[in-house]
Amino acid sequence: MLKPIDRRQLIARLALLGLSSTGLSTLAACQGPPTGAAASRRKHHAVRYKNGAVAADHPLASEVGVDVLRAGGNAIDAAIAVNATLGVVRPYSCGLGGGGFLVAHDERTGRSWAMNARETAPKGVWESYFTDLRSSGGPEGASRYGGHAVAVPGTPNGLFLAHRTHGTMSMSRLLAPAAEIARDGFEADASHVGAVNSLAGVRARLPWTKTISQWTWKQWCLEGTVEVGSKLSNQALADTLDALGRHGIDAWRSGTIPTGLARVARASGGKLNVASLAEYRADEIKPLTLENRFFGATIVTMPPPSSGGIAIAQILATYERLLEAAGRPSLDSAMGRHLLIEAMKPAFALRARYLADPAFAPVPVDELLEEALIEKMVSEIETDRARTAQEIDDGLQLPDDEGTSHLCVIDGQRHAVAWTSTINGTFGSFVGDPESGILLNNEMDDFTTIQGEANLYGLRQSDWNLPVPGKRPLSSMSPTILLDEDGSIEAIAGASGGPRIISATLQVLLGMSYGDLDAATAIDRSRVHHQWRPDSIRYEEDHSQAGSDWRTSLENMGHTFDDAPRGVAVVQAIRVHPDGFDPASDPRKLGVAAGY
Ligand code: GLY
């Protein structure tokens, strides 16, 4: 039986975070070079666009967004067109079969808003659904592949909600570029080929997935023959986008689209049904707005069921104090990285224990953001020693995924949009509907799938996150906007890459804000990630001016590193200056930004 979490319980739990009080006394001795000076050695010559900018993780999508802005659309119009296009050109990351979160800020009115279009568990599942499936001989990996993995998509409702409340152009106009690309085709790039290799690997490891991935394998992988430059098109998806443009969200709620999606998900045992699709609603909600959180800046970010907003706010607030006490070391210095990693650990431990869908669990948002908690987290960090995961907490672990895409848009009126969309894993559940051309998500795996046990990734989450019909699984997606002390937009950012979304988004924001880097340089910097468990630092090949000495210093403090460097998420960002916009897309996924 799950017990409610109250504030006293939280504080008592925090007291168990097991930290000595070496604290900040030695921090001041550990100065590094000023980040701005160090970073200037790698400075890009950033273009400053005057009228509008888009950063998506595919060049065609960024161009579509700028076309909409040039044609007189606002940032929301552009974001809708970009989102729909990404669903075509990054089919393994996002699309109509997935969900997402949007955070926006309109500088003219000073109003921020957010949208929750996260997938929900369908009618017909229950808390022990995956445990029971396993004991009754269900397929290995059922929460990740095939119909059981499919949650009710939220993206179509999100597109229409954003349009109804903030759009100005017709939906048929905004969906037309995506439909045209789906119909005429586009060229696969190396990122697409990498995703196909990943799908091929799962098909080889789990042969039962060959049947359920048949359509995806043919449609998006050309049966394994796809290479860079191969032409890919999807006539059925083009027709679906046209139908949504003509008939609106009704075409999603009844008729051949929901019937077809429910049929293909159920063919491999899933519970997706027409009633759940028809009843799904995206919600416009208040974002999490935290004033004076990082050197005077205000953070506008996503509340639960995203864990990202709270974690980013905690880490930035902790890190600000640590940086100040340490004499503002460079982000790339050993001390800069040590303090960041130590700030990440308790935030990720708290994420695993306390965060879930607030409509179904008593998420203690205020308590997790209290000054007293931040002070405690700061006081327990040691300057010369890495704390073990066991010292931080003895609890739970986090999920992992790759099938996500983030976009940023700003228009000439300075309405900014950060929108992260996902189908969860690469190619989602692998289940697609040939009739509508839609690939379905595997977001059920973001729930706690097997209570009290490690999931497929060897990771665990809290029981608050067990599946219940209508509940939204915990997410790491972290669309975030930074406002300066005057309330002007300073930066927009977000990422794809599972729990690494949180650490990557905040490192890019740090680079632009604290490091005074242009957006491309902030994105290029090699990143680190520590999610508390596994108790090891994921790190990227270090091409920064800091060299690799920082790793030796961190190892001497007791930090453990992964065996080899690997990517730490994919970030899109826009840095906003009084005289223009500096957008950048992550070269890690071959993104290219645009503006005018
Ligand atoms: N499936 C990605 C996330 O929501 O964290």
Side-chain angles (χ1 to χ4, degrees):
M1 204 37 205
L2 299 176
K3 295 194 194 79
I5 300 166
D6 64 23
R7 192 164 166 277
R8 262 182 320 142
Q9 199 184 348
L10 174 69
I11 299 299
R13 184 78 223 165
L14 297 170
L16 290 178
L17 288 181
L19 307 159
S20 72
S21 55
T22 305
L24 296 172
S25 50
T26 56
L27 275 172
C30 309
Q31 296 189 17
T35 302
S40 64
R41 289 199 289 274
R42 279 176 44 76
K43 235 175 176 131
H44 292 250
H45 295 288
V47 181
R48 291 202 185 167
Y49 298 104
K50 302 279 181 213
N51 301 301
V54 181
D57 65 17
H58 193 290
L60 286 177
S62 297
E63 279 168 28
V64 162
V66 168
D67 284 348
V68 170
L69 293 175
R70 274 186 204 279
N74 66 13
I76 313 306
D77 293 321
I80 289 167
V82 175
N83 188 300
T85 303
L86 286 169
V88 176
V89 296
R90 292 285 182 229
Y92 48 93
S93 299
C94 59
L96 296 173
F101 297 139
L102 178 156
V103 169
H105 180 79
D106 185 346
E107 202 171 283
R108 276 177 317 171
T109 60
R111 182 173 174 259
S112 304
W113 59 282
M115 187 175 74
N116 180 355
R118 180 74 164 159
E119 300 93 327
T120 55
K123 292 175 196 293
V125 301
W126 57 94
E127 286 193 345
S128 59
Y129 182 74
F130 288 103
T131 320
D132 297 347
L133 201 56
R134 187 171 67 176
S135 34
S136 61
E140 187 187 346
S143 68
R144 196 169 184 203
Y145 314 114
H148 297 293
V150 178
V152 184
T155 290
N157 282 272
L159 289 166
F160 280 93
L161 176 63
H163 182 254
R164 197 176 73 240
T165 52
H166 300 275
T168 63
M169 290 178 146
S170 74
M171 206 53 174
S172 54
R173 160 68 179 89
L174 299 177
L175 299 182
E180 192 180 313
I181 295 169
R183 187 169 289 115
D184 296 347
F186 64 97
E187 287 184 4
D189 62 8
S191 172
H192 190 109
V193 174
V196 170
N197 291 340
S198 156
L199 173 51
V202 178
R203 283 166 58 96
R205 201 171 70 248
L206 298 173
W208 73 268
T209 62
K210 286 187 180 163
T211 316
I212 56 113
S213 63
Q214 229 165 10
W215 175 80
T216 305
W217 187 239
K218 194 164 170 200
Q219 165 61 47
W220 291 124
C221 310
L222 308 181
E223 294 175 328
T225 67
V226 74
E227 50 190 33
V228 173
S230 298
K231 193 81 175 275
L232 297 164
S233 61
N234 186 337
Q235 178 65 45
L237 183 55
D239 292 346
T240 296
L241 288 160
D242 284 346
L244 290 171
R246 268 198 315 278
H247 306 299
I249 192 67
D250 288 348
W252 180 261
R253 294 200 175 129
S254 63
T256 54
I257 298 175
T259 315
L261 293 175
R263 188 182 57 245
V264 292
R266 294 174 87 87
S268 51
K271 295 288 182 193
L272 186 68
N273 52 79
V274 174
S276 296
L277 285 157
E279 284 170 25
Y280 181 95
R281 293 290 180 273
D283 300 318
E284 183 167 328
I285 57 169
K286 264 174 61 177
L288 200 55
T289 301
L290 300 153
E291 286 174 13
N292 195 11
R293 265 286 141 156
F294 188 72
F295 292 108
T298 292
I299 304 168
V300 185
T301 188
M302 195 68 201
S306 168
S307 60
I310 288 179
I312 284 177
Q314 287 174 332
I315 297 168
L316 285 179
T318 310
Y319 197 44
E320 177 193 339
R321 289 161 175 77
L322 295 168
L323 288 169
E324 280 291 23
R328 299 199 182 201
S330 147
L331 297 174
D332 290 329
S333 66
M335 185 51 60
R337 284 183 157 147
H338 166 68
L339 296 176
L340 182 62
I341 288 159
E342 290 300 306
M344 285 176 186
K345 290 176 182 176
F348 274 94
L350 292 167
R351 174 210 190 271
R353 184 167 293 279
Y354 292 106
L355 294 181
D357 184 349
F360 289 80
V363 182
V365 174
D366 293 342
E367 287 82 353
L368 288 166
L369 294 167
E370 256 180 20
E371 277 302 304
L373 170 59
I374 302 299
E375 289 298 343
K376 181 164 176 53
M377 287 161 101
V378 170
S379 72
E380 291 172 340
I381 288 170
E382 300 179 34
T383 56
D384 55 358
R385 188 180 76 86
R387 296 164 301 161
T388 64
Q390 192 68 32
E391 284 177 89
I392 306 288
D393 200 340
D394 59 358
L396 309 154
Q397 299 188 4
L398 294 174
D400 203 352
D401 58 63
E402 288 164 336
T404 303
S405 177
H406 178 80
L407 70 91
C408 302
V409 181
I410 188 160
D411 64 23
Q413 307 296 314
R414 299 197 170 222
H415 198 158
V417 178
W419 194 344
T420 316
S421 302
T422 186
I423 51 172
N424 195 19
T426 304
F427 287 112
S429 64
F430 302 169
V431 176
D433 173 23
E435 302 298 320
S436 62
I438 293 171
L439 178 57
L440 286 163
N441 69 83
N442 63 339
E443 222 69 51
M444 292 301 283
D445 198 57
D446 270 349
F447 282 113
T448 302
T449 50
I450 308 280
Q451 198 171 2
E453 271 190 30
N455 71 5
L456 274 173
Y457 304 90
L459 302 165
R460 281 179 259 187
Q461 302 192 94
S462 107
D463 290 354
W464 292 112
N465 194 35
L466 285 163
V468 173
K471 196 196 249 188
R472 292 173 153 116
L474 185 59
S475 170
S476 296
M477 293 186 289
S478 314
T480 300
I481 298 172
L482 216 57
L483 309 180
D484 68 15
E485 284 156 345
D486 305 327
S488 303
I489 298 166
E490 188 181 338
I492 313 163
S496 52
R500 276 111 42 202
I501 288 173
I502 296 170
S503 38
T505 301
L506 85 89
Q507 281 169 85
V508 171
L509 287 170
L510 281 168
M512 292 188 288
S513 178
Y514 177 74
D516 192 26
L517 303 177
D518 61 79
T521 309
I523 286 173
D524 276 3
R525 283 180 62 234
S526 59
R527 300 191 274 261
V528 290
H529 170 74
H530 198 301
Q531 61 183 49
W532 166 59
R533 286 177 192 271
D535 195 356
S536 172
I537 298 170
R538 180 162 172 153
Y539 68 102
E540 294 185 327
E541 197 72 66
D542 200 337
H543 51 251
S544 79
Q545 57 283 6
S548 55
D549 286 354
W550 65 273
R551 280 193 55 206
T552 314
S553 303
L554 263 63
E555 274 162 355
N556 291 339
M557 292 182 198
H559 289 281
T560 306
F561 286 81
D562 285 359
D563 291 342
R566 279 181 300 161
V568 175
V570 169
V571 182
Q572 272 61 249
I574 301 177
R575 189 166 174 200
V576 180
H577 299 274
D579 63 343
F581 311 126
D582 160 27
S585 297
D586 205 323
R588 292 164 182 78
K589 198 173 171 182
L590 307 175
V592 178
Y596 80 111

